[in-house]
Amino acid sequence: MELAKKVVTIKNLEYEYPDGTSALKGINLDIFEGESVALIGLNGAGKSTLLLHLNGILQSDEGDVEVLGMKVAENIREIRGKVGVVFQDPDDQLFMPTVFDDVAFGPINMGFSEEKVKEKVRMALERVNMSGHEKRAPHHMSLGEKKRVSIATVLSMEPEILILDEPTSNVDPRARRNLIELLNGLDITKIMATHDLELVSETCDRAIVMFEGKIAANGDVEEVLTDSKLLESHGLEAPVLVRLFRDVMNREYIPIRLEDVIEKPNKYKI
Amino acid sequence: MKHDFIDKYAELESIIHRLDPRIKIISFFCFILLVISTSPTKFLNFLLYFLLIFGVILVSKVPLSFVFKRSMVIIPFVLLIAIFIPFLKEGEIAGSYSFASLHLTVTYDGLIILFNVLSKSWLSVLSMLALASTTKFPELLKGFEKLGMPRVMVMIISFMYRYVFVLGDEVMRMKCARDARSFGGNSKWHIKTIGNIIGMLFIRTYERGERVYVAMVSRGFIGKIKILGDLQVKKLDLCFMLAFITFLTIIWTVL
Ligand SMILES: Nc1ncnc2c1ncn2[C@@H]1O[C@H](COP(=O)(O)OP(=O)(O)OP(=O)(O)O)[C@@H](O)[C@H]1O
Ligand SMILES: [Mg+2]
């Protein structure tokens, strides 16, 4: 993984909203091909703001953002086709009257032929397990379904980087499980902002803690999620499993996923 | 939340549902055109028109009770406008009534006009209901677009259709939040909170608009919406339209 290609390079990025809120204060970050990176941090830490810089929705004069070797500001159209952003609220993401039209929206804008568009829509819906729902209207669907279709709307553009803002907010446990499986089945670079640390432990290899517009920590998921001090000092809370093994049982090895414990009971002395 | 007040029953399966939306639009608009240009005294024609549209609704399997209930919505409006005609129109007198100093007369001509207005508007509403409850709204829009309605208008209506439900939910949530915290209170206070809710709604809508726009731009939107039109006229469609229009012409010309 370490030798892999750099797909995102951010240098000294600062951003201030028009109303004067300083949302990013000097971000330096590299993301490599195939990585799955989580951005965690309190409300207002700047996660969404940072994500919006990756496809040039927000642009700043301070600092550099390079994606797939291109300066974002100068290659907007190309970047938008290669960086798929799934927003938090599916009612924002899904703006067309039917699932088909929505999933086709990206590919049509990218100028593909009718045949190609249909093929891409079919594949994207298949990947999120929503084949056969083409004609449905978003207001007739459950939130879990809407979330999956939202992901399909960007998968149909075959992005190289998938960006998700709070993919599991508000969804029920089963829909959440489906989403996790779906995300784990996609082998492209993923960057997600979330408050769901269990999601992070199950889908990501790297976790970045943001605090007040800065990167407070950046490391392997295991490392970050088991560091209760770090998490707590930035307003977060370590997962229950970590707290159990660390604070209650005072163990040496601390698992972050239940599966770890089930797979290696000896290591964790269960 | 689930909503279906616009195209309720559009998900049913029937020959009528399967027809190409364009065909339905054309057929039903022809229907309305002919109905309104039929001379008022051709009662038999109106009966036949009714039977035709009734037949279509029967075949479509949309519950009759639903269609008739919905169609009644128009009657009060029409009555409000037309109820005075029998009293005002001059001609052969059908009856006269006196209330104190008020002297009212009803004329045959006036009654015929009333019947004319009522039956024509009711038949038109029936046909529009038949169209709307057998066609999914997005399909309907596609049909209108293919028939030449400007793209911008189609898009505006389609956004309206998409977000009216989302906004509806938002209003419901705000109303719940208000009701949960209001214990009695006087009417002045209530009016004030309604004002606040409306204001909030505008702000939220505006913000939603911005977020939706960002989502569109993120997927390569550059100011022009293109959609694939995958409508295809099949043999069944043509047969339906021809049969429907033949019926209409027969009713209109022969009788
Ligand atoms: N459109 C905007 N205009 C002005 N300030 C904004 C805007 N959007 C966000 N901010 C501010 O920028 C800062 C960072 O916000 P951001 O949305 O990036 O946080 P976040 O980490 O995504 O939070 P959350 O977990 O709540 O989604 C916050 O202080 C927020 O109030
Ligand atoms: Mg956010």
Side-chain angles (χ1 to χ4, degrees), chain A residues 17-19 21-24 41-50 88 165-166 193 195, chain B residues 210:
Chain A
Y17 276 100
D19 69 351
T21 318
S22 171
L24 299 177
L42 290 179
N43 291 130
K47 306 178 295 291
S48 304
T49 310
L50 180 58
Q88 177 177 357
D165 202 346
E166 317 218 354
H195 295 290
Chain B
E210 279 189 335

Side-chain angles (χ1 to χ4, degrees), chain A residues 52 55 57 77 80 83 85 87 89-98 100-106 108-109 114 117-118 135 137-140 146 153-154 157, chain B residues 1-4 7 11 136 138-139 141-142 155 158-159 161-163 165-166 169 208 211-212 214-222 224-230:
Chain A
L52 288 177
N55 75 343
I57 294 290
R77 268 188 72 66
R80 297 234 165 108
V83 179
V85 186
F87 292 92
D89 185 351
D91 284 331
D92 298 338
Q93 184 81 21
L94 307 175
F95 43 77
M96 298 294 277
T98 66
F100 178 90
D101 288 328
D102 237 314
V103 181
F105 187 85
I108 292 175
N109 280 328
E114 197 170 322
V117 170
K118 281 186 185 156
K135 299 228 155 150
H139 61 269
H140 286 304
K146 286 198 238 182
T153 62
V154 303
M157 305 195 295
Chain B
M1 237 181 276
K2 280 200 152 208
H3 303 274
D4 46 17
D7 49 0
E11 311 268 336
K136 291 193 193 96
E139 298 271 303
L141 279 180
K142 243 179 218 168
M155 282 325 296
S158 113
F159 277 118
Y161 171 73
R162 173 67 187 90
Y163 285 103
F165 305 107
V166 176
D169 282 353
R208 173 157 327 258
R211 292 200 305 272
V212 172
V214 165
M216 292 172 74
V217 168
S218 292
R219 284 194 268 149
F221 176 70
I222 42 165
K224 230 192 195 154
I225 290 187
K226 291 167 259 175
I227 46 175
L228 294 189
D230 48 356

Side-chain angles (χ1 to χ4, degrees), chain A:
Chain A
M1 194 76 66
E2 249 43 62
L3 293 172
K5 197 172 87 182
K6 248 192 224 178
V7 288
V8 175
T9 315
I10 299 175
K11 284 201 191 105
N12 301 318
L13 178 65
E14 296 189 11
Y15 185 78
E16 196 172 275
Y17 276 100
D19 69 351
T21 318
S22 171
L24 299 177
K25 303 166 186 163
I27 302 283
N28 285 291
L29 178 63
D30 290 331
I31 291 171
F32 298 89
E33 189 170 28
E35 259 191 317
S36 183
V37 180
L39 291 179
I40 54 181
L42 290 179
N43 291 130
K47 306 178 295 291
S48 304
T49 310
L50 180 58
L51 292 183
L52 288 177
H53 278 84
L54 296 177
N55 75 343
I57 294 290
L58 295 179
Q59 290 177 19
S60 169
D61 304 330
E62 306 292 321
D64 277 324
V65 183
E66 253 180 53
V67 174
L68 300 164
M70 297 176 279
K71 286 219 187 300
V72 171
E74 290 148 31
N75 301 277
I76 288 283
R77 268 188 72 66
E78 208 171 339
I79 299 254
R80 297 234 165 108
K82 298 209 159 136
V83 179
V85 186
V86 181
F87 292 92
Q88 177 177 357
D89 185 351
D91 284 331
D92 298 338
Q93 184 81 21
L94 307 175
F95 43 77
M96 298 294 277
T98 66
V99 168
F100 178 90
D101 288 328
D102 237 314
V103 181
F105 187 85
I108 292 175
N109 280 328
M110 290 162 70
F112 287 108
S113 70
E114 197 170 322
E115 286 309 304
K116 263 270 170 59
V117 170
K118 281 186 185 156
E119 173 66 16
K120 281 172 190 285
V121 172
R122 198 184 57 70
M123 273 172 27
L125 284 176
E126 206 162 81
R127 260 170 115 179
V128 302
N129 241 325
M130 287 293 286
S131 307
H133 296 253
E134 286 83 353
K135 299 228 155 150
R136 286 178 75 193
H139 61 269
H140 286 304
M141 298 193 296
S142 74
L143 185 66
E145 289 173 321
K146 286 198 238 182
K147 286 255 178 191
R148 278 188 282 155
V149 174
S150 296
I151 295 177
T153 62
V154 303
L155 288 184
S156 61
M157 305 195 295
E158 294 180 30
E160 289 181 32
I161 302 175
L162 179 63
I163 291 180
L164 305 123
D165 202 346
E166 317 218 354
T168 53
S169 64
N170 296 330
V171 298
D172 63 42
R174 188 167 42 143
R176 183 172 165 280
R177 183 54 44 203
N178 285 336
L179 277 172
I180 290 178
E181 270 157 28
L182 164 60
L183 291 176
N184 278 334
L186 299 171
D187 52 356
I188 49 176
T189 313
K190 280 162 280 184
I191 307 170
M192 56 188 98
T194 181
H195 295 290
D196 179 351
L197 294 191
E198 323 238 298
L199 166 78
V200 175
S201 69
E202 290 192 57
T203 57
C204 298
D205 353 286
R206 184 142 68 105
I208 291 166
V209 180
M210 287 192 72
F211 190 70
E212 296 182 347
K214 296 196 190 100
I215 291 183
N218 177 355
D220 285 344
V221 184
E222 278 81 8
E223 202 181 297
V224 174
L225 290 191
T226 54
D227 192 341
S228 340
K229 243 194 222 111
L230 169 82
L231 293 174
E232 269 154 38
S233 63
H234 295 102
L236 301 167
E237 208 173 56
V240 175
L241 197 59
V242 171
R243 275 151 59 204
L244 176 69
F245 273 72
R246 180 194 185 93
D247 304 339
V248 180
M249 308 203 297
N250 287 312
R251 291 293 167 76
E252 182 191 357
Y253 294 109
I254 301 162
I256 58 166
R257 301 173 201 93
L258 198 57
E259 285 72 38
D260 295 348
V261 187
I262 296 167
E263 276 164 27
K264 297 179 196 153
N266 293 335
K267 177 175 172 189
Y268 297 103
K269 305 205 188 102
I270 289 283

Side-chain angles (χ1 to χ4, degrees), chain B residues 175-213:
Chain B
K175 217 174 97 35
C176 279
R178 183 200 65 174
D179 293 347
R181 281 175 293 166
S182 79
F183 308 97
N186 57 15
S187 59
K188 198 173 148 202
W189 182 81
H190 271 290
I191 290 172
K192 219 177 129 195
T193 54
I194 289 174
N196 285 342
I197 288 184
I198 294 174
M200 261 325 267
L201 194 64
F202 269 114
I203 295 175
R204 289 201 191 172
T205 311
Y206 180 77
E207 285 172 348
R208 173 157 327 258
E210 279 189 335
R211 292 200 305 272
V212 172
Y213 181 73

